[in-house]
């Protein structure tokens, strides 16, 4: 009788342990469920807060710009006059300066940023040197823009000015360099300074993208006989194209909205000139220079209208980047 009762006791003990484990698993899964639900709601909440803040900012700027919108309408975009005394305002010179200076910056920053990211992510240099180089490049982003502007005025412009005068005298038959007497503060200088400022964004994000690519792709390419450069141009860069485009768009957004450094080196002349050696003006620069002393009413309305235009430009750039990435992904599939 004693022997027959022992298996029964063991079975009941095992069943009790299984029941306890099931209860623990049920409790844990219940806690995980509520944790996941709470985290999801928190993410949705912050997403809505971000959207609400963006909408509120746009609405406030729109209300301030309403007098100029009613006065000039869409024609404000291609008007060139800016006369605060007579209440005549036009945005075209500022739009032109913003787009051209940003275009120069991104055209310079993309190849240099990709080159820096390749040097700091691939095995061209020892790991310690790559780490130090990546840190130094990213450190540029921590320098205040006004400090970069002062450096440009006292160091960069005196070095660049002889080159600009040589370009103006040697290649004056080319409209891009057709200027009588370059003075150093011009569109080209602003574009190069912007390129320096957005280089850390372009290089750091591209480096992270390249490091995230599986090492198996590199090994497979070289196993098939590809050289290092063939692997880079035919495997790594196409694989990281969407991330590189995202890096470029973030850098371009920084260039479009940069204020102080550009204000200090672009010359602040509201004109439209094909020459890169002529002074120009950008939307952030005119906002920084005039908003503090702007007259209530039409003047503030015109400046706020420029702010809306700048917001629209950045929105168009981001939408274009998303469409480009989707087109490239669909083409590869």
């Amino acid at each position: 009788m004693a022997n027959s009762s022992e298996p029964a006791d063991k079975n009941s003990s095992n069943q009790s342990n299984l029941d306890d484990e099931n209860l623990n698993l049920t409790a844990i899964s219940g806690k995980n469920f509520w944790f996941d639900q709470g985290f999801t709601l928190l993410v949705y909440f912050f997403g809505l807060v971000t959207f609400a803040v963006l909408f509120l900012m746009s609405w406030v700027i729109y209300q301030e710009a309403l007098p100029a919108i009613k006065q000039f309408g869409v024609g404000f975009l291609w008007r060139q006059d800016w006369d605060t005394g007579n209440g005549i305002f036009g945005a075209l010179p500022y739009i032109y300066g913003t787009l051209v200076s940003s275009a120069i910056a991104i055209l310079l920053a993309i190849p240099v940023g990709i080159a820096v990211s390749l040097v700091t992510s691939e095995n061209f240099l020892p790991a310690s040197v790559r780490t130090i180089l990546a840190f130094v490049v990213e450190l540029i982003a921590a320098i205040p823009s006004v400090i970069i502007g002062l450096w440009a005025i006292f160091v960069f412009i005196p070095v660049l000015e002889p080159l600009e005068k040589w370009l103006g005298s040697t290649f004056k038959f080319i409209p891009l360099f057709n200027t009588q007497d370059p003075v150093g503060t011009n569109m080209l200088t602003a574009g190069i300074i912007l390129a320096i400022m957005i280089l850390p964004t372009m290089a750091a994000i591209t480096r992270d993208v390249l490091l995230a690519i599986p090492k198996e792709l590199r090994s497979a390419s070289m196993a098939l006989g590809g050289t290092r450069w063939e692997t880079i141009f035919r495997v790594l860069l196409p694989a990281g194209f969407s991330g590189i485009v995202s890096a470029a768009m973030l850098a371009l957004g920084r260039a479009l909205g940069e204020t102080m450094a550009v204000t200090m080196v672009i010359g602040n002349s509201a004109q439209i000139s094909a020459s890169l050696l002529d002074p120009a003006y950008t939307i952030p620069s005119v906002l920084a220079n005039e908003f503090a002393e702007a007259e209530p009413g039409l003047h503030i309305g015109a400046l706020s209208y420029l702010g809306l235009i700048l917001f629209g430009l950045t929105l168009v750039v981001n939408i274009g980047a998303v469409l480009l990435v989707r087109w490239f992904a669909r083409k590869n599939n």
Side-chain angles (χ1 to χ4, degrees):
M1 296 295 293
N3 292 335
S4 62
S5 65
E6 288 180 1
D9 293 339
K10 290 181 179 180
N11 290 334
S12 62
S13 177
N14 291 336
Q15 185 64 36
S16 177
N17 291 333
L18 289 174
D19 292 341
D20 291 340
E21 290 179 2
N22 290 333
L23 288 173
N24 291 333
L25 290 175
T26 302
I28 292 173
S29 62
K31 291 180 180 179
N32 289 338
F33 172 78
W34 289 111
F35 179 78
D36 292 342
Q37 289 295 107
F39 185 77
T40 302
L41 292 175
L42 187 64
V43 170
Y44 282 141
F45 171 74
F46 283 118
L48 290 175
V49 168
T50 302
F51 176 79
V53 170
L54 184 63
F55 177 79
L56 182 62
M57 290 172 57
S58 303
W59 179 253
V60 171
I61 296 174
Y62 172 77
Q63 290 295 318
E64 293 293 332
L66 205 55
I69 294 174
K70 292 180 179 179
Q71 179 73 20
F72 304 110
V74 183
F76 182 77
L77 298 175
W78 50 79
R79 295 175 65 98
Q80 300 187 34
D81 299 324
W82 190 272
D83 188 348
T84 57
N86 295 318
I88 301 174
F89 301 99
L92 188 59
Y94 310 105
I95 297 174
Y96 174 80
T98 302
L99 292 178
V100 174
S101 61
S102 300
I104 295 171
I106 201 64
L107 288 176
L108 293 175
I110 286 177
V112 177
I114 292 176
V116 171
S117 64
L118 288 172
V119 170
T120 55
S121 63
E122 301 301 313
N123 294 324
F124 291 103
L125 297 172
S128 58
V129 178
R130 295 200 305 268
T131 302
I132 294 173
L133 183 60
F135 174 75
V136 170
V137 173
E138 293 177 7
L139 194 62
I140 300 176
I143 303 176
S145 60
V146 66
I147 301 301
I148 294 180
L150 290 173
W151 171 81
I153 290 174
F154 293 111
V155 178
F156 185 71
I157 289 179
V159 173
L160 188 64
E161 193 169 0
L163 175 61
E164 292 180 345
K165 290 183 178 180
W166 177 79
L167 288 173
S169 60
T170 306
F171 299 100
K172 61 183 178 181
F173 59 92
I174 301 176
L176 290 177
F177 306 113
N178 186 9
T179 300
Q180 295 294 329
D181 187 20
V183 294
T185 52
N186 51 50
M187 182 80 78
L188 181 60
T189 303
I192 297 174
I193 292 299
L194 274 177
I196 295 173
M197 297 184 68
I198 67 177
L199 179 61
T201 302
M202 184 70 205
I205 298 178
T206 304
R207 178 175 182 266
D208 292 339
V209 168
L210 295 177
L211 290 175
I213 296 175
K215 294 182 179 180
E216 288 78 6
L217 289 178
R218 296 174 173 84
S219 302
S221 175
M222 293 185 176
L224 293 173
T227 64
R228 172 178 288 180
W229 290 108
E230 287 175 337
T231 301
I232 289 173
F233 286 106
R234 296 186 180 183
V235 178
L236 299 184
L237 293 182
F241 177 79
S242 60
I244 295 173
V245 171
S246 299
M249 292 305 103
L250 287 174
L252 182 57
R254 169 76 189 275
L256 287 170
E258 180 53 46
T259 305
M260 289 309 302
V262 176
T263 304
M264 298 169 74
V265 301
I266 200 170
N268 298 328
S269 177
Q271 62 176 339
I272 298 176
S273 174
S275 177
L276 301 180
L277 303 180
D278 281 335
Y281 225 148
T282 64
I283 294 176
S285 297
V286 69
L287 291 176
N289 283 333
E290 296 191 11
F291 204 89
E293 300 177 357
E295 295 290 334
L298 201 57
H299 192 186
I300 288 182
L303 294 173
S304 300
Y305 202 169
L306 286 176
L308 281 180
I309 293 171
L310 183 61
F311 180 79
L313 289 176
T314 56
L315 186 63
V316 168
V317 166
N318 285 284
I319 292 174
V322 172
L323 295 176
L324 179 62
V325 170
R326 289 182 178 177
W327 172 81
F328 187 80
R330 188 166 55 248
K331 181 180 177 181
N332 286 345
N333 293 333

